[in-house]
């Protein structure tokens, strides 16, 4: 330690969603707080999230919306800081927001309004924020006297060190693996990581099929085909979008969180119908099959579908058995993605710091007092719909209560 070493109660690495929340709440507890980030601007992911309007929480958020090797881990933090707590916070700042389908809340104007709120909270709480700073080395002082952080801006000492450096998705927004490196340095296990909430890419004939339909969206129910475990795979009734690489859209992003390389996905193309019954009725009325499909699908998709999977225009000529099989096919269309579109296109990272060594109450490392991991760096991943930011707020708040 040198004379120029600056002292803080709390140093937070990462000025993203969880780091800023933790900083403000720690500051309000009277702690002196420094937040360090290597990016030139704070909370870059908040700014671009939700198509620039940030889906900042979900009023239905519950532990069931998260994937974690220990599904109980998220319960404590989510219970301590609920979606309504964050809504109360933004209400105090007069943020205008809108409720969309399935409990999602979005900024009405721009995500930057939310960043301003987080920055204001940090100012009011007396937090110091330093951007464009490289974190070079972290070490624990002996006798549990805290931590030293060597940075491009000098040396900082603190009692509590909070790692809020996020995960690997969107490297162009300065995502790095610093959190995982620090976790390893302090003896923590990293659960295997992979891109989540990400488009799926296809090869061969299905790639051509998707490319032909690029830009077409369909309302479907989609799930992962997972062999014996099929009953456990959640299904999502949301839109899918054909792209030049394969499939995207909310339904596909949701399912990508559960998809593993080599698995198939199953799409119900007419999720609101009893398809076999409807086809029998069509057969009896001798109506045009493609016109019936066009009632539910864009014409372009009907055309492409029937070119691949022909069916006579008049179902009167078709046996019940064939109709039954075709109806099954329409509701259980199995496709095998070649891969995901990778971290460049992924909204989140699955896996991360194994939570067995982390106290669920405050996200502190069990064997390393004063060291905390919050937000996405942990092995906690939310479904699409504002759940990931809610985890950032909840875990940031939980850590702030004891740092
Ligand atoms: P976050 O990534 O927010 O912050 C980490 C910070 O650490 C960054 O500021 C980074 O610069 C800094 N950092 C990283 N490495 C560092 C290093 N080596 N040195 C110093 N600093 C370092 N979620 C949701 O709920 N609703 C939504 O609408 C969306 N939309 C969305 C769109 C897109 C395109 C993406 C990529 C992601 C989303 N998300 C989302 C997910 C959400 O953005 C994400 O889960 C949270 O931002 C995670 O918060 P964290 O604080 O953990 O990390």
């Amino acid at each position: 330690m040198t004379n120029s070493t600056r002292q803080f109660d709390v140093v937070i690495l990462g000025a993203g969603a969880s780091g800023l929340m933790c900083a403000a709440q720690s500051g309000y507890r009277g702690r002196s707080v420094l937040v360090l980030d290597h990016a030139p601007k704070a909370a870059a992911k908040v700014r671009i999230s939700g198509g620039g309007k940030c889906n900042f929480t979900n009023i239905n958020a519950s532990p069931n919306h998260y994937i974690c090797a220990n599904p109980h881990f998220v319960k404590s933090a989510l219970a301590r800081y609920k979606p309504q707590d964050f809504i109360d916070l933004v209400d105090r700042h007069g943020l205008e927001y809108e409720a969309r389908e399935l409990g999602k809340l979005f900024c009405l104007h721009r995500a930057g309004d939310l960043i301003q709120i987080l920055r204001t909270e940090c100012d009011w709480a007396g937090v110091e924020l330093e951007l464009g700073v490289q974190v070079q080395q972290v070490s624990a002082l002996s006798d549990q006297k805290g931590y030293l952080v060597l940075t491009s801006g000098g040396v900082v000492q603190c009692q509590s060190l909070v790692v809020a450096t996020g995960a690997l998705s969107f490297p162009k927004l300065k995502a790095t693996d610093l959190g995982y490196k620090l976790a390893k340095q302090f003896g923590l296990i990293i659960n295997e990581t992979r891109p989540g909430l990400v488009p799926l890419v296809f090869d061969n004939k299905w790639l051509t099929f998707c490319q032909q339909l690029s830009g077409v969206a369909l309302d479907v129910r989609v799930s992962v085909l997972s062999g014996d475990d099929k009953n456990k795979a959640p299904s999502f009734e949301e839109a899918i979008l054909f792209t030049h690489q394969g499939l995207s859209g909310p339904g596909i992003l949701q399912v990508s969180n559960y998809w593993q390389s080599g698995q198939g996905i199953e799409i119900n193309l007419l999720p609101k119908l009893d398809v076999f019954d409807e086809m029998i009725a069509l057969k009896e009325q001798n109506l045009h099959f493609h016109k019936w499909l066009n009632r539910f699908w864009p014409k372009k998709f009907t055309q492409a579908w029937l070119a691949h999977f022909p069916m006579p225009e008049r179902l009167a000529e078709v046996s019940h058995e064939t109709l039954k099989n075709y109806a099954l096919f329409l509701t259980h269309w199995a496709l095998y993605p070649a891969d995901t579109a990778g971290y460049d296109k992924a909204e989140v990272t699955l896996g991360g710091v194994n939570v067995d060594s982390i106290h669920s109450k405050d996200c502190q490392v069990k064997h390393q007092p004063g060291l905390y991991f919050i937000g996405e760096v942990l092995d906690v991943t939310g479904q699409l719909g504002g759940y990931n930011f809610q985890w950032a707020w909840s875990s940031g708040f939980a850590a702030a209560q004891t740092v």
Side-chain angles (χ1 to χ4, degrees):
M1 209 189 327
T2 67
N3 284 343
S4 59
T5 302
R6 293 184 296 155
Q7 312 260 354
F8 288 87
D9 294 329
V10 185
V11 168
I12 298 174
L13 304 180
S18 63
L20 293 179
M21 169 56 88
C22 185
Q25 299 297 327
S26 314
Y28 286 139
R29 281 187 52 241
R31 312 295 278 156
S32 60
V33 183
L34 173 67
V35 184
L36 299 171
D37 201 298
H38 68 159
K41 287 187 175 169
K45 282 190 183 167
V46 174
R47 192 174 300 281
I48 59 147
S49 63
K53 300 217 167 166
C54 186
N55 177 196
F56 57 82
T57 191
N58 191 302
I59 55 167
N60 302 321
S62 77
N64 296 339
H65 296 105
Y66 295 89
I67 301 168
C68 176
N70 172 0
H72 302 293
F73 177 77
V74 298
K75 289 181 180 169
S76 174
L78 289 176
R80 291 181 96 180
Y81 195 84
K82 300 187 171 80
Q84 191 56 50
D85 294 311
F86 194 73
I87 294 166
D88 291 344
L89 187 152
V90 298
D91 278 345
R92 287 196 289 278
H93 289 263
L95 179 77
E96 292 191 278
Y97 54 86
E98 60 174 334
R100 295 197 197 160
E101 76 289 351
L102 305 172
K104 301 171 193 166
L105 297 190
F106 284 77
C107 297
L108 190 58
H109 303 295
R110 63 198 77 77
D113 297 341
L114 191 61
I115 300 177
Q116 193 48 53
I117 290 174
L118 295 169
R119 296 282 306 252
T120 303
E121 287 280 318
C122 285
D123 286 348
W124 288 348
V127 171
E128 290 188 36
L129 172 61
E130 293 178 8
L131 300 169
V133 176
Q134 306 304 318
V135 177
Q136 291 161 340
Q137 201 184 321
V138 169
S139 52
L141 295 165
S142 55
D143 301 328
Q144 301 190 356
K145 287 210 178 92
Y147 297 86
L148 269 192
V149 184
L150 182 62
T151 77
S152 52
V155 184
V156 200
Q157 188 186 340
C158 56
Q159 286 169 7
S160 298
L161 180 69
V162 182
V163 181
T165 46
L168 303 175
S169 312
F170 261 62
K172 68 179 173 198
L173 292 183
K174 297 271 190 191
T176 72
D177 63 355
L178 177 66
Y180 303 145
K181 283 188 177 144
L182 292 175
K184 280 186 198 152
Q185 179 186 330
F186 288 99
L188 295 166
I189 293 168
I190 309 300
N191 290 353
E192 191 184 345
T193 60
R194 60 192 164 87
L197 299 181
V198 62
L200 297 174
V201 301
F202 288 82
D203 52 16
N204 304 325
K205 75 168 179 177
W206 292 119
L207 176 62
T208 317
F209 185 81
C210 292
Q211 285 173 335
Q212 274 171 4
L213 290 167
S214 181
V216 170
L218 286 180
D219 289 322
V220 303
R221 185 179 311 125
V222 55
S223 61
V224 168
L225 260 178
S226 52
D228 338 332
D229 245 357
K230 192 172 167 212
N231 292 332
K232 286 192 184 160
S235 66
F236 298 92
E237 200 163 322
E238 297 197 48
I240 61 169
L241 176 72
F242 292 89
T243 71
H244 279 293
Q245 281 195 299
L247 288 173
S248 187
I252 293 298
L253 300 191
Q254 294 282 30
V255 111
S256 73
N257 269 358
Y258 300 87
W259 181 80
Q260 309 256 13
S261 183
Q263 283 183 314
I265 59 169
E266 183 177 275
I267 301 178
N268 180 344
L269 290 163
L270 295 165
K272 297 203 187 306
L273 302 182
D274 188 328
V275 178
F276 181 53
D277 282 0
E278 295 262 350
M279 289 179 83
I280 294 292
L282 273 184
K283 176 181 166 116
E284 280 156 12
Q285 294 154 18
N286 204 19
L287 296 175
H288 287 268
F289 186 52
H290 90 270
K291 285 190 184 161
W292 177 74
L293 287 175
N294 279 343
R295 279 165 44 193
F296 313 104
W297 295 345
K299 284 183 183 151
K300 204 170 167 185
F301 182 74
T302 306
Q303 213 175 7
W305 177 264
L306 289 174
H308 265 79
F309 308 110
M311 174 56 63
E313 249 316 88
R314 305 287 187 168
L315 301 187
E317 309 148 25
V318 185
S319 71
H320 267 47
E321 192 58 25
T322 306
L323 287 188
K324 196 168 195 172
N325 288 335
Y326 201 88
L328 259 179
F329 192 49
L330 283 167
T331 50
H332 296 79
W333 186 31
L335 286 167
Y336 287 82
D339 205 345
T340 73
Y343 287 116
D344 285 351
K345 299 273 171 65
E347 290 196 9
V348 291
T349 301
L350 290 145
V353 176
N354 184 304
V355 299
D356 287 349
S357 308
I358 309 281
H359 286 293
S360 62
K361 193 170 164 226
D362 62 358
C363 297
Q364 187 170 188
V365 178
K366 289 177 183 168
H367 61 266
Q368 190 66 48
L371 180 64
Y372 297 73
F373 286 81
I374 59 172
E376 207 184 313
V377 70
L378 289 168
D379 171 28
V380 173
T381 307
Q383 294 178 355
L384 187 77
Y387 303 106
N388 285 294
F389 279 130
Q390 185 56 45
W391 172 247
W393 317 136
S394 295
S395 58
F397 179 88
Q401 305 316 303
T402 62
V403 285

